[in-house]
Each structure stands twice: as C-alpha cells, then as structure tokens.
Amino acid sequence: MRTSKSSLLVLSAVGLLAAPSVARAQSAIIYGSVTNFDISNDTGQVCNGFEIQMDGSTTNQAPFSFNAERYGTPTSYAYAGGMAVRWAAPFDPVSQTYATRTLPHTVPWFPGQCYQWNPLTYQDSGCEHFGTARGPAEPITSIRAYWLCNDPANPGTLAPFGAPTSVPFPAYFIAPPAQPALPPQVVMEIQPPPPPPPPPAPVPQFADATWIRVFVNEMPREVGLDELLVDNPAVVPMDPAQAETNWDLLQPDPPGLPASGSHSKKQLGRDVKATTRSVVRRIETWQFTGAYDPVNHAAICADGTCTAPAVGEVGAIISTQMSAVNVQADTLTTTKIGTGGGNVDSSDKRISCGSKCVAPYNSGTAVTLTAKANSGSVFAGWTGACSGTATTCTVSISGHTEAIATFTAQAGGGGGGGGGGGGGSTSPTLSVRTSGGRGTIVSAPAGISCGSVCSAPVPAGTAVTLTVTPDAGLHFVSWSGACTGTSPTCTTTVNASGTAQANLSK
C-alpha cells in the first residue's frame, strides 16, 4: 500500500535549496518543491537505514516525507548548522540484529524495483525509495545523503557510511524573461553532492564524476510527493521523447577551490506558461567508468565534451531522482463569451484578443483593458478580474488573472458570434467558468462540458443543471453569478445571457 504524509502537504517554499544570490525580478512564484528518489546501495555493505543532511535547516521546519518503504516514518534531529532526516531500522540488543536491512545492490535495476508494493523484487533488491517535501522557505545551502550501516566500533549504532551518495538535490529559482513579452523561466540547478575533504596532496584532487540524464514533463496542476514514482508515467517523464538532456557529466570541484563551472553544476530552464502549475523532472545518475587525469583526478571523456559517452565510460545506474517544482505564472488571460462578437485590447498592446488573448506580466502590474463590440453586437459587461459594464477596466496582475468580456448579439444582427437573421430573436447564452483553480463543469440538458465547451445557447425559460468536479487537490466552495449555493450541483432557469462561476479552493 502506498502511504505518506503528502496528503497534508502545504507547499509554500521559495525553493528547496537557497537560490543563487543574484537579484532577479520575478514574474512567477514558486510555491514549493517535492523530491522522491530511487537509490541503490552501492556501499558493498548490508545497511539498515538512510539519512539526508540539510545545512541551514532548522528542527522547527521538519519536512514531509515518503514513508512507503521498509523503514517507515523517519525521525529528525539537529546537528551543528542544520537538520537531518533519518530512516533507521530498530535494533534488538538481545538478538543483536536490526529489524530490517537493505542488501548491497547486485541485481539489474529496472523501474519500480525499489518499491515495497513489488514484493517479488523489493525485499532483496538492494535499492530503496526515499523522499521529502518542504514547507516554508529556509536558507538551505547544501544537502547530502548517506546510507546508514552498523558501526563496527559501536555495535547497534548506525553511522553514515563513506562519502555522500551521488543522488543530486536540485535547487529552483525564477529567472526573468529575456524580453518583456516572453514568459519567465523556472530554472533547476543541479550540483553534485559536496565531497568529503581529501587527504593532503600536492595537487588538489577532484572527486569522482557521475553521468546524469534529465527528462522533463509539465503539468497543469500541482504535484504531490506520492506521485513522484517511476511507475507513474502520467506524471513522471519516462518516455525517451521527454529527454531534456541525454548525457552530461557532473564532477565536484576540489574543496576550497573556486568552481570551475565546466561540470561542477548543470542549469536547465523551462518557460512558465499560463497553464503551467508544475514542472516535473526525472534525473538519472550513472557511474562514470572512463579515464581520470592521473595528477588531479579530473574526468577525461573520449568525446572531449563529456556529452556523448563512449563504450566503457558508463557503468551501473546509481539513483533516479524525481523532482517537481510547483509554480504559478503571473499572467493575464482575456476570455470572450456570449452570443455576440468583439475584441479586447490592452493599453500596452500585449493583449489583442482577437488573436492574442494571454500574456505574461510581473506581479502587481496594472493593465488597462478595453472591450470593443463588433457591428451588430453590444458589450454586455465584465466578470472575473473585471466587473461592471464600462468598456474600459484596469486589473492588477497576481498569479493567473482572468478577465471575461461578454458580447451579446443585437436582435437581427450578425454579431460575429451568433444572432438571428430576418429580425428573429436569439436564445440567451449560458456560460460557465471556475475561479481559484481548475475543474470540469457539465450541464444537463447537454451542451456545456467545460473543459472544452464553456458556453452554449439555451432556449429562454430552460432549467439547466450544472455539476462541477474540481481538479485533484481542490475542493468546491460555492457558486456565484447565474448559480448560487454551496452544493456542487445547481439548477438555474435561463431567461437572459449570464455566467455561472464555480468558486474553488485548495
């Protein structure tokens, strides 16, 4: 059974790791980040737990965690300069044994092997699945992870074994667009775990290198910790066509020396579109089995760029990191509804709807919109971020901001969007929308299925029943506009064109 505390998750962090110190004008917000990873026990030892150490973290900000693994719910403890999350097997002092263990990894690795709901492979797989999600932002400066094995000097005590594991922990920040009309980017920065201090040497030594491959997916909703599993391809990118970078080398610089920049980190940016609510990446880490410089231990790749491994340069897979960042772009969307036709234009020319109905903005920007009806139509009013019947409206951008203009066809007019000919009357139009999040609204009698069809003409006097189903992670609050009440189903009698709004919340 898959269980975790992610159902309690309230993501409000500005990033998992502290963002680079360069000032950036944001036009999107990071609400939080979640990370789950499969990792093999490559210590050569039987281990009995796992630990993640976070420099800069504090004990009053304990993370949510993935608990569907053999060690159960982890504990947290403070150390000088940070906090650790520890998964550990209980020790029986009478039998001198631990309750469970992770064997050294020896069998070929395939997706899903490291999950406890695969009983034929999991128990002796030599790999495990761990994960955390963070709430309010903290200035975390670095993260290390270790396998915990029995300390021979203190039997019954678990201690970190050897160097930190090679699993990367991405950091996220928002980069402003290169041009005002372009969307901002959410940037992921991958750094290899910091190596332990090496023994004294005449020449500073690089730590061992690893290969990484990165795959990416975008979702129109937030993603939770439980969803970051390799047997969940609807969320986690598993298709080779989703590759963002096929091969790249990561190698930590020698401690105490300035970053070389060549392979000490990897940055990947992704546009934050109006519909983007999360960016999900799968990061594979593989052994580098190529040559090293005999003097300073720098990796030497046959291709000279370390982007196309030669035969013999890639060893076994070490870890698969599934990481998601939940974001919300600051955008303005203009929507036109009703039986008539017209245009909505912004004073800065970035909206001309018509053809261009969505544009990115910086949070707090004031945008003036003007509605102009086509010949044979009249402007009937605003809903959403605008209200009233004046043709001009000013909105302040905050997150996904939507202004809806209703145009009504005049009797006997063409209107560009409906209307009867020969002086006949037209049916009123019922339109629907959601506020506070996304969901599906359907009507009975059929005609509206929003999603895709969000308005339809309805014969005057018809009683229409609307039912809203919020997207995952949201709940229904109330109706407003043409519908009222707190039941997800409402019935309204349509005598004039109008809009029913389903108000949703997290």
Side-chain angles (χ1 to χ4, degrees):
M1 180 178 179
R2 310 181 195 191
T3 59
S4 84
K5 294 183 179 179
S6 65
S7 59
L8 305 176
L9 190 59
V10 180
L11 294 174
S12 57
V14 177
L16 181 62
L17 299 182
S21 59
V22 178
R24 291 179 168 89
Q26 294 191 3
S27 49
I29 296 175
I30 292 177
Y31 286 96
S33 50
V34 288
T35 176
N36 268 353
F37 54 91
D38 301 337
I39 184 165
S40 64
N41 177 6
D42 60 355
T43 65
Q45 309 291 314
V46 175
C47 295
N48 306 98
F50 196 82
E51 182 171 287
I52 301 174
Q53 298 177 0
M54 295 168 282
D55 292 346
S57 183
T58 57
T59 53
N60 65 341
Q61 300 289 346
F64 299 95
S65 56
F66 186 87
N67 304 328
E69 29 67 29
R70 72 184 83 228
Y71 299 107
T73 303
T75 58
S76 300
Y77 72 90
Y79 59 88
M83 185 192 77
V85 180
R86 170 176 280 219
W87 291 263
F91 180 75
D92 184 346
V94 176
S95 64
Q96 293 289 295
T97 59
Y98 290 93
T100 189
R101 82 287 186 268
T102 304
L103 296 177
H105 182 76
T106 56
V107 298
W109 195 352
F110 59 87
Q113 183 188 69
C114 306
Y115 304 151
Q116 66 176 198
W117 48 85
N118 291 331
L120 296 179
T121 60
Y122 173 70
Q123 183 61 24
D124 296 331
S125 64
C127 63
E128 197 53 77
H129 188 80
F130 301 103
T132 59
R134 299 208 61 80
E138 290 185 282
I140 300 175
T141 55
S142 66
I143 298 182
R144 299 169 301 280
Y146 296 88
W147 282 101
L148 300 178
C149 305
N150 187 59
D151 184 355
N154 299 283
T157 301
L158 293 176
F161 183 88
T165 66
S166 296
V167 61
F169 291 91
Y172 294 97
F173 61 90
I174 297 295
Q179 301 176 24
L182 298 177
Q185 286 200 330
V186 57
V187 179
M188 178 186 72
E189 181 173 288
I190 308 171
Q191 293 186 3
V203 177
Q205 299 292 294
F206 285 85
D208 286 347
T210 53
W211 293 105
I212 62 168
R213 302 174 69 198
V214 182
F215 302 80
V216 67
N217 186 26
E218 293 183 25
M219 300 289 292
R221 60 174 179 82
E222 291 187 358
V223 168
L225 192 65
D226 279 356
E227 299 180 88
L228 298 184
L229 306 163
V230 295
D231 58 1
N232 185 20
V235 172
V236 175
M238 299 299 298
D239 193 316
Q242 294 172 300
E244 190 171 23
T245 176
N246 273 323
W247 292 101
D248 214 331
L249 195 79
L250 283 182
Q251 185 172 32
D253 288 312
L257 291 185
S260 66
S262 56
H263 298 293
S264 60
K265 64 182 179 181
K266 178 72 174 179
Q267 285 190 355
L268 294 168
R270 199 77 177 175
D271 286 350
V272 184
K273 299 187 287 290
T275 55
T276 303
R277 292 306 307 276
S278 60
V279 179
V280 184
R281 285 184 170 94
R282 179 170 62 92
I283 308 163
E284 297 177 351
T285 304
W286 297 73
Q287 291 176 339
F288 174 77
T289 51
Y292 286 97
D293 188 297
V295 176
N296 63 6
H297 200 62
I300 301 173
C301 301
D303 73 336
T305 64
C306 296
T307 57
V311 175
E313 289 188 328
V314 179
I317 190 169
I318 301 170
S319 68
T320 300
Q321 169 75 275
M322 280 74 69
S323 178
V325 57
N326 292 322
V327 297
Q328 175 67 72
D330 294 299
T331 60
L332 175 59
T333 298
T334 50
T335 303
K336 300 180 297 181
I337 62 175
T339 57
N343 268 39
V344 177
D345 300 312
S346 64
S347 54
D348 59 8
K349 310 300 183 185
R350 292 170 67 176
I351 295 283
S352 181
C353 185
S355 57
K356 183 172 175 52
C357 300
V358 181
Y361 285 92
N362 286 332
S363 180
T365 302
V367 182
T368 299
L369 298 174
T370 300
K372 183 179 180 181
N374 292 344
S375 176
S377 295
V378 294
F379 173 67
W382 299 97
T383 51
C386 283
S387 61
T389 57
T391 56
T392 298
C393 159
T394 299
V395 298
S396 179
I397 306 302
S398 178
H400 175 69
T401 305
E402 184 176 11
I404 303 168
T406 300
F407 296 96
T408 303
Q410 295 176 311
S425 62
T426 60
S427 295
T429 296
L430 177 62
S431 302
V432 298
R433 69 183 300 270
T434 61
S435 176
R438 297 183 183 277
T440 301
I441 302 175
V442 296
S443 68
I448 290 176
S449 180
C450 184
S452 54
V453 180
C454 298
S455 64
V458 178
T462 302
V464 178
T465 299
L466 300 174
T467 302
V468 59
T469 303
D471 283 357
L474 300 174
H475 67 274
F476 173 75
V477 177
S478 65
W479 293 96
S480 56
C483 264
T484 59
T486 57
S487 170
T489 297
C490 91
T491 299
T492 180
T493 299
V494 180
N495 291 307
S497 295
T499 299
Q501 176 172 293
N503 301 304
L504 310 179
S505 180
K506 295 178 182 178

